[in-house]
Amino acid sequence: LGCMRTAPRLHRHCESCYSRHCRAPPEVSVSCMLINCRLLCGASFHMCKESEHTLLCPNEKVPCLNSCYGCPFTMSRSRLAKHLEVCPASVVCCSVEWNRWPTEDIKSPLNINLMKETHGQQSLDLSMALRDQKHLCGRLKMRSLFPELMEEPEVPIPSETDEAVGWEVNVNGESADSMGDETFINSPLIAAKEEHVEKGSQNLIVNKEKYDLFEKMFSMERGGCLQVQKANISKTGLAPWQEGVLERLGQEVNPREYNMYIVHHGRMLLTFGQIEACTPREKDFVYGSLEPIPVQTLRSFNVPTSYKHKRIQLKDPSNQALTKHKSVDTSDLGVPEEDMQKMDEMFATLLCSAELEIRGHKISEKVATDGLYIDIATQTYNFSMAPFKYNSTLADITTERDLMLYLQMDTEIVTLRHNKNTSAFTFLCGHFFRRDEFASHFKNVHSDIQSCLNGWFEERCPLSYLGCTFSQRRLQPSTHRATVSYNQDLSIFTLSPEITTSLLNDSQMVPTQNSTVRCEDCLSNLPFEVLRHIARYLDSFSLSQLSLVSRLFREVSATLLQERGMVGLKWRKKFYSHGRARWKSSIVWEFSSLFSRVNSWCFGDTPPMAEHLKHCPYYQMEPKTKPFALTSMQESKSSQKQQSLMTLFKGRR
């Protein structure tokens, strides 16, 4: 402690002096000379206040406010606010959500034909639907929906209470469960241990030291009560535990003080038996004589003449069908179990999950119809792959099956705060971007592309309900020709520029003189500075893909991380040999999934949908050979009838 340096104490005059033109002469322990800021910020102050000025000087070099999250930049204090707009550690998570409903018919002609063409270039709405279906299957646990159809795990999974048994946890001077320098006294495992001890306390041996300690505490309280009793007897004798205290109170105090005494000491009076908790039956008040009171009915409401009773109220109860409460099972259908149709695991799981999310309970649960009857329902599931593994998800079960579309391709963008009245599943974007990139991502991806997939950005054939899979993309960037596609592995939209054939022919691979390498691209032969200059024109997603090409391009992309990338903390769980685990963080640099910003879109050179309908195989014309009435002819007849009716009414007048 003696080696620590403390801030110099201000002089008596300098402590209250704020004038830039102070003319006080320097004196020992009174005042010091006036100086200007060394960083030329324009401030003037006494020399003893120089250390304080460094905490406020706008030209002082300080680290970024997000330095604890990995930002390596150091700048003057006046530039901190502007730097936060482009800070690589200022990361924003996209929270856009959308709903998707289960499809009504998985074997519709459109779904069957779309699944046959999954190997080619897929449409945007189909790619997003398959991505959402994959993520939904990965997060649905079969154990939470069908616990009765699960296999027992080979190795017993220890629970928190089992792990906590046998741990010695004491506080205040005794041993505590710790790891290194950290103590876990208020951890969940300790709470689970205490709960386990309470449940099994009848099987444990009583700790004699704690018992003696508690007995001593109770004896001290009892001794204190006895001392108070002796003191009260000698003075007033109105203690709540003394016999006849209520009678003495009734004689010595007025009714108001008597009632206040009962209110404040009622619990103690009940404990010591001075008063009874409830009135005995023999002390109940009984009326001496009861006389009937005439009741007069006042009718101030006239029933309207148009009022009619409901038919259900006029039914004869004797004519109603007899009902009987009886348990019904699948065996009552009279169909052998071998001949029963197997249920679709995917469809049944989605149905049960939607029922649980919307109504808060599973299908066929116990329901109380009234105060007497309770419907105890059970649901029989006949799955071909049952029983399931203990930790299996819906994605693990459906990996070897043919790909089918169980979700609708149409979406509705809402938030979780919106009350969902239908069985819809919610999906989250969840991608991370720099703060200066988020506006571009939200506009181009969610506002321009995703919200316009239902017929505007991408147009489907009008006969798609019959099975036609034709679709075309109508919009493209107004500055250059590019194609929008969807990457299901990364769950992002990508923008790929269209390259002419002449440029593709010029960028062929050329042979090299090195025998170990057969061919090398021309781009790798360029100097490192030129490659870095070329890479500056790429967007963030292209830079992330460029870093995966080779070690050379990975080094080129790494030089642009601080300028174009983002940094954050990645948490991982580290397990130790003694069974404990801790979460540790590490700083990770990466590029976001943002493509080049598109300020405006325009219609491409795609032909109109009428050109496709000329040769669409599902467009079947029906030639008419017999004469039929046109619409205009039917309208003329109706107008004639209306005119005749009008003339009829006019004639009656």
Side-chain angles (χ1 to χ4, degrees):
L1 295 176
C3 298
M4 296 180 59
R5 298 179 60 184
T6 59
R9 188 173 180 179
L10 301 180
H11 299 103
R12 184 174 55 187
H13 167 76
C14 302
E15 187 175 3
S16 59
C17 180
Y18 302 100
S19 176
R20 298 183 58 182
H21 307 285
C22 180
R23 299 181 180 275
E27 296 182 15
V28 179
S29 68
V30 177
S31 63
C32 59
M33 63 181 298
L34 200 69
I35 62 174
N36 297 327
C37 177
R38 298 179 180 179
L39 300 178
L40 305 179
C41 71
S44 300
F45 44 84
H46 287 276
M47 183 182 295
C48 59
K49 295 183 179 180
E50 186 175 9
S51 58
E52 292 184 358
H53 177 70
T54 56
L55 303 177
L56 303 174
C57 181
N59 295 340
E60 184 74 20
K61 295 290 184 179
V62 292
C64 175
L65 297 178
N66 294 325
S67 58
C68 56
Y69 298 110
C71 182
F73 292 101
T74 302
M75 68 211 73
S76 58
R77 185 176 283 110
S78 60
R79 297 182 180 180
L80 284 178
K82 193 170 185 60
H83 166 73
L84 290 179
E85 300 177 0
V86 294
C87 178
S90 183
V91 181
V92 180
C93 178
C94 182
S95 59
V96 175
E97 302 162 349
W98 61 90
N99 287 345
R100 200 180 290 274
W101 284 262
T103 182
E104 298 177 359
D105 186 11
I106 60 176
K107 296 183 179 180
S108 62
L110 178 60
N111 290 351
I112 294 176
N113 295 340
L114 286 175
M115 293 300 103
K116 294 179 182 178
E117 303 176 0
T118 53
H119 301 286
Q121 184 179 5
Q122 298 178 356
S123 56
L124 298 179
D125 53 358
L126 177 61
S127 301
M128 282 201 65
L130 292 177
R131 174 261 181 193
D132 292 344
Q133 178 176 307
K134 179 180 178 181
H135 282 231
L136 179 62
C137 295
R139 72 190 188 192
L140 290 181
K141 299 288 185 179
M142 304 300 292
R143 184 175 71 251
S144 60
L145 298 174
F146 311 108
E148 68 277 1
L149 300 178
M150 307 304 297
E151 293 180 351
E152 293 295 333
E154 299 179 358
V155 180
I157 299 178
S159 60
E160 292 184 354
T161 55
D162 296 337
E163 294 178 358
V165 172
W167 292 3
E168 183 180 0
V169 181
N170 295 318
V171 191
N172 298 332
E174 299 184 11
S175 62
D177 175 43
S178 60
M179 182 180 62
D181 298 334
E182 299 184 6
T183 303
F184 300 89
I185 296 177
N186 298 326
S187 62
L189 296 179
I190 304 305
K193 178 220 177 245
E194 295 175 356
E195 182 180 357
H196 179 80
V197 170
E198 291 178 0
K199 292 182 179 178
S201 57
Q202 63 273 14
N203 300 326
L204 300 179
I205 302 176
V206 179
N207 192 342
K208 188 175 183 300
E209 296 180 359
K210 292 185 178 180
Y211 179 79
D212 296 340
L213 178 62
F214 295 152
E215 187 68 22
K216 183 179 180 181
M217 294 170 58
F218 292 140
S219 61
M220 292 174 62
E221 293 182 359
R222 186 178 179 183
C225 293
L226 294 176
Q227 294 294 333
V228 174
Q229 179 180 359
K230 294 179 180 179
N232 289 339
I233 288 176
S234 59
K235 293 182 180 180
T236 59
L238 302 178
W241 51 82
Q242 295 178 351
E243 294 294 336
V245 60
L246 295 181
E247 289 77 2
R248 289 192 295 272
L249 281 173
Q251 299 175 0
E252 299 179 4
V253 300
N254 53 29
R256 180 177 176 275
E257 296 178 355
Y258 179 85
N259 295 332
M260 291 297 295
Y261 185 90
I262 296 295
V263 170
H264 290 288
H265 302 85
R267 179 170 296 182
M268 297 184 67
L269 293 172
L270 288 173
T271 304
F272 292 103
Q274 303 293 342
I275 58 176
E276 297 178 354
C278 48
T279 308
R281 179 170 297 181
E282 56 272 8
K283 297 183 180 180
D284 289 346
F285 177 77
V286 180
Y287 287 98
S289 61
L290 296 177
E291 297 181 358
I293 302 175
V295 179
Q296 297 180 359
T297 304
L298 179 62
R299 298 183 180 272
S300 60
F301 176 75
N302 297 326
V303 180
T305 56
S306 60
Y307 176 78
K308 294 182 180 180
H309 294 279
K310 295 182 180 180
R311 292 187 59 187
I312 190 173
Q313 298 179 357
L314 301 178
K315 287 184 178 180
D316 188 3
S318 60
N319 297 332
Q320 294 182 359
L322 298 178
T323 59
K324 182 179 180 181
H325 292 274
K326 181 180 179 181
S327 299
V328 181
D329 193 39
T330 312
S331 59
D332 298 337
L333 300 176
V335 181
E337 186 176 356
E338 297 79 9
D339 299 340
M340 294 185 62
Q341 185 179 2
K342 297 293 183 179
M343 301 180 65
D344 188 0
E345 291 86 356
M346 186 81 171
F347 183 79
T349 305
L350 294 181
L351 181 63
C352 295
S353 177
E355 184 78 10
L356 180 61
E357 182 178 359
I358 299 301
R359 299 194 175 184
H361 61 81
K362 300 179 182 178
I363 297 178
S364 300
E365 281 197 346
K366 181 173 65 175
V367 178
T369 56
D370 52 22
L372 299 177
Y373 296 100
I374 298 178
D375 295 337
I376 302 177
T378 56
Q379 177 68 32
T380 303
Y381 299 98
N382 190 12
F383 295 139
S384 58
M385 301 185 65
F388 309 116
K389 294 184 179 180
Y390 186 75
N391 288 327
S392 62
T393 60
L394 185 57
D396 301 334
I397 298 173
T398 58
T399 49
E400 300 179 357
R401 299 178 53 182
D402 297 336
L403 184 61
M404 295 292 294
L405 184 60
Y406 289 86
L407 298 177
Q408 294 184 5
M409 290 185 290
D410 298 337
T411 61
E412 179 184 356
I413 298 181
V414 295
T415 61
L416 279 178
R417 298 176 180 85
H418 177 73
N419 186 15
K420 296 186 298 183
N421 296 325
T422 56
S423 300
F425 299 98
T426 303
F427 301 92
L428 177 68
C429 178
H431 290 288
F432 291 90
F433 301 93
R434 291 164 55 111
R435 187 171 296 275
D436 56 343
E437 297 177 344
F438 178 73
S440 176
H441 161 76
F442 183 85
K443 178 183 180 299
N444 294 145
V445 174
H446 299 296
S447 299
D448 297 342
I449 301 178
Q450 186 177 356
S451 61
C452 300
L453 289 179
N454 302 334
W456 183 248
F457 195 93
E458 186 176 50
E459 184 182 16
R460 283 195 173 274
C461 177
L463 302 177
S464 59
Y465 67 95
L466 297 177
C468 183
T469 60
F470 176 78
S471 64
Q472 60 182 5
R473 293 162 194 173
R474 307 171 61 192
L475 301 179
Q476 66 177 9
S478 59
T479 56
H480 60 281
R481 297 181 61 87
T483 304
V484 179
S485 58
Y486 188 79
N487 192 329
Q488 295 187 26
D489 298 330
L490 302 178
S491 302
I492 58 173
F493 285 94
T494 58
L495 188 67
S496 305
E498 296 181 2
I499 305 175
T500 59
T501 309
S502 59
L503 294 177
L504 289 174
N505 297 332
D506 296 340
S507 61
Q508 298 295 329
M509 309 296 286
V510 296
T512 58
Q513 299 179 359
N514 191 357
S515 59
T516 58
V517 182
R518 294 184 179 180
C519 58
E520 186 179 7
D521 61 300
C522 301
L523 193 62
S524 300
N525 296 327
L526 296 177
F528 188 85
E529 292 78 7
V530 177
L531 293 177
R532 186 178 184 276
H533 180 73
I534 296 175
R536 290 172 64 95
Y537 292 94
L538 299 178
D539 52 49
S540 299
F541 177 70
S542 301
L543 286 174
S544 64
Q545 299 301 305
L546 181 66
S547 62
L548 303 177
V549 174
S550 63
R551 294 182 179 178
L552 173 62
F553 290 110
R554 187 174 183 85
E555 295 176 359
V556 172
S557 302
T559 59
L560 300 174
L561 275 174
Q562 294 186 1
E563 180 183 353
R564 303 284 300 280
M566 56 184 183
V567 63
L569 300 179
K570 299 296 182 182
W571 294 87
R572 58 185 181 87
K573 198 173 185 179
K574 184 178 180 181
F575 294 90
Y576 294 89
S577 58
H578 48 75
R580 297 299 303 274
R582 288 183 60 189
W583 286 92
K584 285 195 171 183
S585 62
S586 58
I587 298 177
V588 177
W589 285 86
E590 58 184 352
F591 293 101
S592 64
S593 59
L594 181 76
F595 56 80
S596 301
R597 181 181 179 88
V598 180
N599 296 323
S600 60
W601 303 80
C602 65
F603 288 99
D605 299 334
T606 57
M609 189 59 65
E611 296 294 332
H612 162 72
L613 291 176
K614 292 180 180 179
H615 52 81
C616 179
Y618 295 91
Y619 185 62
Q620 299 178 0
M621 295 182 294
E622 184 180 356
K624 295 290 185 179
T625 57
K626 297 181 180 181
F628 57 92
L630 298 177
T631 307
S632 59
M633 299 173 61
Q634 296 179 359
E635 291 179 355
S636 62
K637 292 181 180 180
S638 61
S639 62
Q640 291 177 2
K641 291 182 180 180
Q642 291 179 1
Q643 292 177 3
S644 61
L645 290 175
M646 291 296 294
T647 55
L648 180 61
F649 288 138
K650 290 181 179 179
R652 289 186 177 182
R653 289 182 180 178

